[in-house]
Amino acid sequence: MQNEICGRMKDMRQTGKGLFLKKAGAIALAFVIALAGAGSYSAKAAGTSVSPIIDDYESYADDAALQASWRLDWSDKPGSVAIGIGKASGSQTLKLTVKDSSATWANILHPIAEANGDASGFEGVTFWLNNDTSDGKALDLGMEAKTNAANGAFNLKMDGAAQVSKKEGSWETVKFNGGSLHVEAGFKGTVRIAWDQFNQAAWQCGGDQGKCGARLDPSKMTGFQFGYNPTAHANNIIQIDDVGYYGTSSSSGGTSNPGVPAAPKTGPKAPSWATVAGTHKLTYKQAPIDNPLKGFLPFLDAGKEGFYKEGDDWRDRPSQMPYSLEFLYEPLSEVMKGQNKFDWTHFDKQLNEIASRGHQAVFRFYLDYPNKPSGIPKFLLDGGLRTHSYTEFDNGKEATSVSPDWNDQKLIAALESFTAALGKRYDGDTRVGFIMVGLIGFWGEWHTWPYDGWTPVTDDKGNELKDEKGETVRLANWMPSEANQKRVLDAMDKAFDYTRLVVRNPIANDTFQTKNYDIGYHDDSFAFETLPLSMGGQDWHFWGRAITAGDTDFWKKRPMGGEMRPEIQIPMWNNDPPRYNDPAKPIDGKQGEDYYDSLKLTHASFLMNQGVFQVPLSGDALKRAKEGSRSLGYEYQVSKAYLDGSAGKLKVGVEIENRGVAPFYYDWKVELAAKSGGKIVKTWVVNWKISGVLPNDSEGNQSAAFQSITQNPKLANGSYEILMRVVNPLEKLNSKAVKFMFANKDQGTDGWLKLGQVKISNPGK
């Protein structure tokens, strides 16, 4: 389990029975497997006397006998979990079902014999699993390996993997989902998890995974803890069999044991022409916070957006937070004057203002922004478009917006017309970094909560109203139909081929799935409503939606952005790890989430975070905020360069490693240069596509290699320094555009990276 039962546990308690965990607001179930003893098995792993089988459940005469060995050690609701003998494997199994869904936690403990704790002769843990469910939901199963070392609890890695087999001899790799094993509905088969797929549980290190560097020592095993969340799996019947170990130390990494992950790779191969003398290892140095198209970004007009009322002169004083992106909202009414009539003057003025500072824009168009004048084009209102009035979100306090009838066909047709015009004008515009699909819902966030068809109508005292049948009365659903949502997504996806798009929510329904579009996402409540059930959040939180939509790998090709709730933007940096945690001021009755847990899951590249620009910070809080911004998105390091200038050819190769959390999403022009006598004497463009270089996985497998061979470099004989840079296309408009900087010691402030010296001989004429 990641951070204890697949996520950070809200409380950790100690009772006379031992350690137990309570996870607020969710039902969770854990069972601890401790090494029982050899049982009836005599087979041993090489170099150890410990049996590979912990329990095959065949020795239990009835449920009572099983419960004596696998007992409900603790639960806030006695009897919340039914423990019994199952038969799903064809023999006896441990069968678990939830009896009381109001329970918040349960432990099922299997005692351990200390003499059987040396599992060093094995390569990992294995068990047979049957996930039987009538509602079609997958199961997120976490695991914790326990040892008797200090701080000796180990969770599944966030980016690790297991091997699963549905039939004899056939194995496939399944990556962990946020520190848990994602098991499909109806799965029946064997799971194998190697020791190196565990990392020290972060809750032992103040919640900071980076400080938990100890490695699992399988010679000191005291047990295993599995976990899943029955709140999301009320209809699941889980059966476990043949819990034990697999492999022997003599076969690690071999193809004879598919349960063992492949040995770490060392990176891409050097070019065939590379020589030892021409190979240059480049030194790492943190890239700047304000690398292009990543990091925290402020609003173009923060005073207008108005959460932080003080310190809105921040642009007139040195900023405490370097940045490369700026965000703006734009009412559709400002540019759309008719069905096919547009005035881009005001919008272009804002893009130009951002570009004048060397930055790129992120923007969102809206029709309905609570407490602002309506953004609905006048010609639609004059044409009879129906609207809804509301008072939520302080609407009407300073200005009054209205919510349109999103299913009006003239409105949807207008949005399609606008989108086509927007794409024709701005697709590939160098002033633009990312575009939020926007348009629909409050703030263009693709929701109309509380008008969602589900939220109850209440009286002045907060009591739910009932109809004549005694059923809860619910507010109307103002969202457009699935078909009309699809029309807007179709139009946006069609209009933009180059500039990258993001939309608020991962969605999967009978009409459309967002994973089928070339559109990423933005989480507008980042680190507050991001984490899924398995990590202490909810199914409807951002990552819970991504799991439900089957789209958790989107970030590898489609960007991720978002915004932090204004209330948490400053206080969270007072904590290590960063998290909003103020018991005196809960937000909607709860606290925030770990910033880095959210970042590791979502792989976000940019976040709207006005507070860190406008409100003065200092000391550790400022350091944490800066590191939080730096940690977003890509960090490309050139780890090796290969140079050769013999035989009339100039050969240049590089190996790029991504030390960040997400790839760079654009193929900006890459240039090489030759420098002599302190001056650049020649530059040329190479066709290297730098987008999509993924962060290295746990086995070091994602680095990318590029090479170029110039047949006739037209350089005189002699020694040259070879340079490389990625060109921000905004330089065409503003020479002071923020430079793309590699995470290298020899990266120059002018954007050029020194690759090394090369001697040119026998150049072409």
Side-chain angles (χ1 to χ4, degrees), residues 132-153:
D132 186 13
T133 176
S134 60
D135 57 14
K137 287 187 177 180
L139 172 69
D140 279 311
L141 185 69
M143 187 173 181
E144 183 173 274
K146 293 181 178 294
T147 73
N148 62 10
N151 296 322

Side-chain angles (χ1 to χ4, degrees), residues 481-495:
S481 67
E482 293 174 357
N484 286 332
Q485 293 178 47
K486 182 178 185 298
R487 286 176 63 180
V488 173
L489 286 173
D490 287 346
M492 274 286 189
D493 201 18
K494 180 179 179 181

Side-chain angles (χ1 to χ4, degrees), residues 116-164:
N116 293 325
D118 183 1
S120 57
F122 301 96
E123 293 168 339
V125 63
T126 182
F127 52 93
W128 182 91
L129 174 68
N130 182 37
N131 176 31
D132 186 13
T133 176
S134 60
D135 57 14
K137 287 187 177 180
L139 172 69
D140 279 311
L141 185 69
M143 187 173 181
E144 183 173 274
K146 293 181 178 294
T147 73
N148 62 10
N151 296 322
F154 295 81
N155 298 154
L156 298 181
K157 290 182 175 180
M158 295 281 286
D159 60 350
Q163 278 68 44
V164 300

Side-chain angles (χ1 to χ4, degrees), residues 1-7 29-33 54 124-127 140-146 153-157 162 176 178-181 191-195 197-199 201 203 216 221 223-228 243-246 534:
M1 286 154 295
Q2 182 63 31
N3 294 340
E4 195 71 13
I5 202 70
C6 315
L29 171 69
F31 50 95
V32 177
I33 306 173
I54 295 171
V125 63
T126 182
F127 52 93
D140 279 311
L141 185 69
M143 187 173 181
E144 183 173 274
K146 293 181 178 294
F154 295 81
N155 298 154
L156 298 181
K157 290 182 175 180
F176 297 153
S180 62
L181 178 67
V191 178
R192 284 178 166 178
I193 305 175
W195 298 131
Q197 299 306 296
F198 293 84
N199 51 209
W203 57 265
L216 172 65
M221 297 302 301
F224 298 103
Q225 179 171 282
F226 293 79
Y228 72 101
V243 179
Y245 303 114
Y246 72 90
S534 61

Side-chain angles (χ1 to χ4, degrees), residues 280 643 645 650 673-679 681 715-722 756-763:
H280 304 264
L643 305 174
L650 177 56
K675 189 175 184 179
S676 179
K679 296 181 180 180
V681 296
L715 292 168
N717 285 341
S719 182
Y720 295 87
E721 187 173 56
I722 302 301
Q757 294 285 136
V758 65
K759 187 175 181 179
I760 301 293
S761 61
N762 300 320

Side-chain angles (χ1 to χ4, degrees), residues 290-334:
D290 59 343
N291 244 350
L293 304 186
K294 60 168 286 185
F296 293 153
L297 63 156
F299 287 91
L300 169 63
D301 189 347
K304 208 171 181 180
E305 305 309 329
F307 181 84
Y308 291 98
K309 304 297 183 183
E310 303 295 328
D312 197 31
D313 62 343
W314 67 274
R315 283 198 197 276
D316 301 323
R317 50 188 166 85
S319 175
Q320 65 187 358
M321 182 64 65
Y323 62 105
S324 65
L325 291 166
E326 298 182 40
F327 177 81
L328 72 137
Y329 282 109
E330 183 77 342
L332 184 60
S333 57
E334 189 68 47

